Amino acid sequence: MSIAIMTSGGDCAGMNPAIKQFVDYCFTKDVQPYLIYDGLEGLIDGDIKAATYEDVAGIMHEGGTKIRSSRSKRFFEYEYRKQAFENLQKYGIDKIVILGGDGSFRALNQFHKDFGVNFIGVPATIDNDIFGTEYCLGVDTALNIIRQATDAVRDTSSSFKRACVIETMGRDCGYLALVSAITCGAEVCIIPELDYDLESIGNRLKDELEKGRKYIVCIVAEGCNHDKCTSTNQLVQWLETDIGIETRATILGHVQRGGNPTVFDRLMASEFVTYSIDKLLSDHIGGSVIVYNRSEFQFVTIEHVNSQKYKIRDDLLELAKRLVN
Ligand code: F6P
């Protein structure tokens, strides 16, 4: 019996611990593990290798993904999916663990419909934007990178009586910005999911500055860089002109995707992968996604994951309400 693992879409910390656990656990189950390199592109091009212990030795603490990733347009075409299937057949692989986001799961679901390859999707994206799961691999590490950066920017902002606007990633989802604002002690949090009132925020900030506030930390989600929201640049302008405080912007960018995986992400990687392998070995499951809710793991269908847009928990949004008024 042969199972393969691949990483697809945006990489994140926690993928390497997942790959290591995949290989080590398969060996304990007398199953030959395979590594598919370069995501769906590598699957099409036959970049597949039988894994050895050596391939995964010493990768537990490393960010990114040793087997690399890609975003594939070719996989939308049947002809390339067929080529990918023929590659798997050469190695007798009929089961795949794929780490990625919902786009990658949809791609493999189509692959399953075409050729019957069983797979389990492990939610892995710093955006934490997959419906049906409270947690996606990599989020804790990304949050800790943001926390470290925000703490550092606060040091210099407070030394200069400045405001800082820190932009986080997350695509359309404000989760990273929201949790960072709550846990880093920000004064302002602008995310697509929360209505905000700039006038009222402005009055509050002016009042606090008059009472002795020395600096201001604002956290903005990259999803706000569109017409209906206040972008990072607009916020900087507003702080300088309307509030009258010198302001600097820090766009954190891809630094949020790297770094050593935290203990939590290493543990989550281990659990996500172990339960996925157990499931693949015990059932003919078709296509399924492993999700994590209220401290429990469960398997759900791709249709379920795709049925709605991810929504941030109301109680978390509630915690940040004082930062939007
Ligand atoms: O989905 C992960 C993510 O890092 C998003 O937060 C961001 O919008 C996007 O990927 C960036 O993509 P790329 O690495 O292709 O620039």
Side-chain angles (χ1 to χ4, degrees):
M1 197 177 290
S2 308
I3 311 186
I5 190 165
M6 64 191 294
T7 49
S8 177
D11 58 288
C12 64
M15 284 181 163
N16 278 333
I19 296 162
K20 178 165 170 52
Q21 175 65 6
F22 174 81
V23 171
D24 292 347
Y25 190 62
C26 278
F27 283 136
T28 69
K29 293 276 172 182
D30 287 328
V31 172
Q32 174 61 54
Y34 282 85
L35 305 174
I36 299 170
Y37 285 83
D38 297 316
L40 295 171
E41 285 290 294
L43 186 54
I44 293 169
D45 294 333
D47 205 351
I48 301 169
K49 177 182 180 294
T52 63
Y53 282 120
E54 221 181 336
D55 289 320
V56 294
I59 69 169
M60 182 61 105
H61 62 293
E62 292 185 8
T65 161
K66 278 282 165 198
I67 55 175
R68 297 184 298 275
S69 188
S70 63
R71 293 191 167 107
S72 175
K73 290 210 173 87
R74 288 192 295 166
F75 207 77
F76 286 112
E77 293 176 41
Y78 178 82
E79 160 200 353
Y80 288 113
R81 292 200 297 276
K82 185 159 174 285
Q83 191 173 313
F85 177 61
E86 285 161 3
N87 290 331
L88 289 181
Q89 278 185 313
K90 285 182 206 153
Y91 298 93
I93 300 166
D94 65 347
K95 297 175 176 55
I96 295 178
V97 173
I98 180 165
L99 278 69
D102 48 5
S104 308
F105 302 160
R106 270 196 298 277
L108 271 214
N109 205 31
Q110 187 53 52
F111 195 48
H112 166 72
K113 283 183 184 153
D114 293 337
F115 307 105
V117 177
N118 293 293
F119 76 95
I120 288 185
V122 174
T125 164
I126 64 164
D127 301 343
N128 211 39
D129 62 349
I130 300 181
F131 176 76
T133 187
E134 274 173 16
Y135 191 75
C136 299
L137 193 63
V139 172
D140 187 57
T141 307
L143 285 171
N144 275 289
I145 301 246
I146 299 169
R147 176 198 41 79
Q148 201 175 16
T150 305
D151 288 349
V153 174
R154 187 196 298 102
D155 288 345
T156 161
S157 299
S158 64
S159 307
F160 264 90
K161 284 197 192 170
R162 277 175 178 166
C164 59
V165 178
I166 297 174
E167 182 184 302
T168 65
M169 272 190 170
R171 215 178 279 276
D172 303 325
C173 178
Y175 184 88
L176 288 178
L178 175 78
V179 174
S180 301
I182 296 168
T183 56
C184 295
E187 279 68 48
V188 180
C189 171
I190 306 288
I191 58 171
E193 292 86 347
L194 269 181
D195 289 335
Y196 56 91
D197 180 344
L198 268 195
E199 199 181 319
S200 138
I201 297 175
N203 291 337
R204 168 167 60 89
L205 293 179
K206 280 180 193 156
D207 183 50
E208 290 180 10
L209 288 167
E210 257 172 48
K211 289 180 178 149
R213 166 171 291 292
K214 299 288 187 287
Y215 64 93
I216 296 167
V217 177
C218 305
I219 302 196
V220 190
E222 76 167 329
C224 286
N225 286 320
H226 62 73
D227 295 349
K228 290 185 206 122
C229 214
T230 306
S231 68
T232 300
N233 284 343
Q234 288 165 336
L235 207 60
V236 170
Q237 287 298 316
W238 174 77
L239 283 158
E240 295 227 323
T241 337
D242 289 43
I243 309 302
I245 182 166
E246 193 179 24
T247 306
R248 295 287 186 270
T250 305
I251 296 169
L252 292 178
H254 286 81
V255 72
Q256 297 159 93
R257 283 241 297 265
N260 307 125
T262 59
V263 169
F264 186 69
D265 272 328
R266 295 180 198 199
L267 184 61
M268 288 300 285
S270 204
E271 293 195 89
F272 270 136
V273 161
T274 306
Y275 306 143
S276 297
I277 295 174
D278 284 344
K279 186 79 173 168
L280 277 169
L281 294 181
S282 64
D283 283 341
H284 179 82
I285 53 132
S288 192
V289 177
I290 182 166
V291 294
Y292 181 77
N293 293 306
R294 294 184 195 87
S295 309
E296 278 184 16
F297 292 87
Q298 231 193 319
F299 292 89
V300 296
T301 60
I302 305 287
E303 286 73 21
H304 176 69
V305 165
N306 286 333
S307 65
Q308 287 177 51
K309 194 170 179 280
Y310 171 80
K311 270 178 71 184
I312 299 177
R313 271 176 18 218
D314 284 342
D315 52 334
L316 267 189
L317 290 171
E318 200 57 43
L319 285 179
K321 288 249 166 94
R322 65 180 185 80
L323 307 179
V324 293
N325 280 297

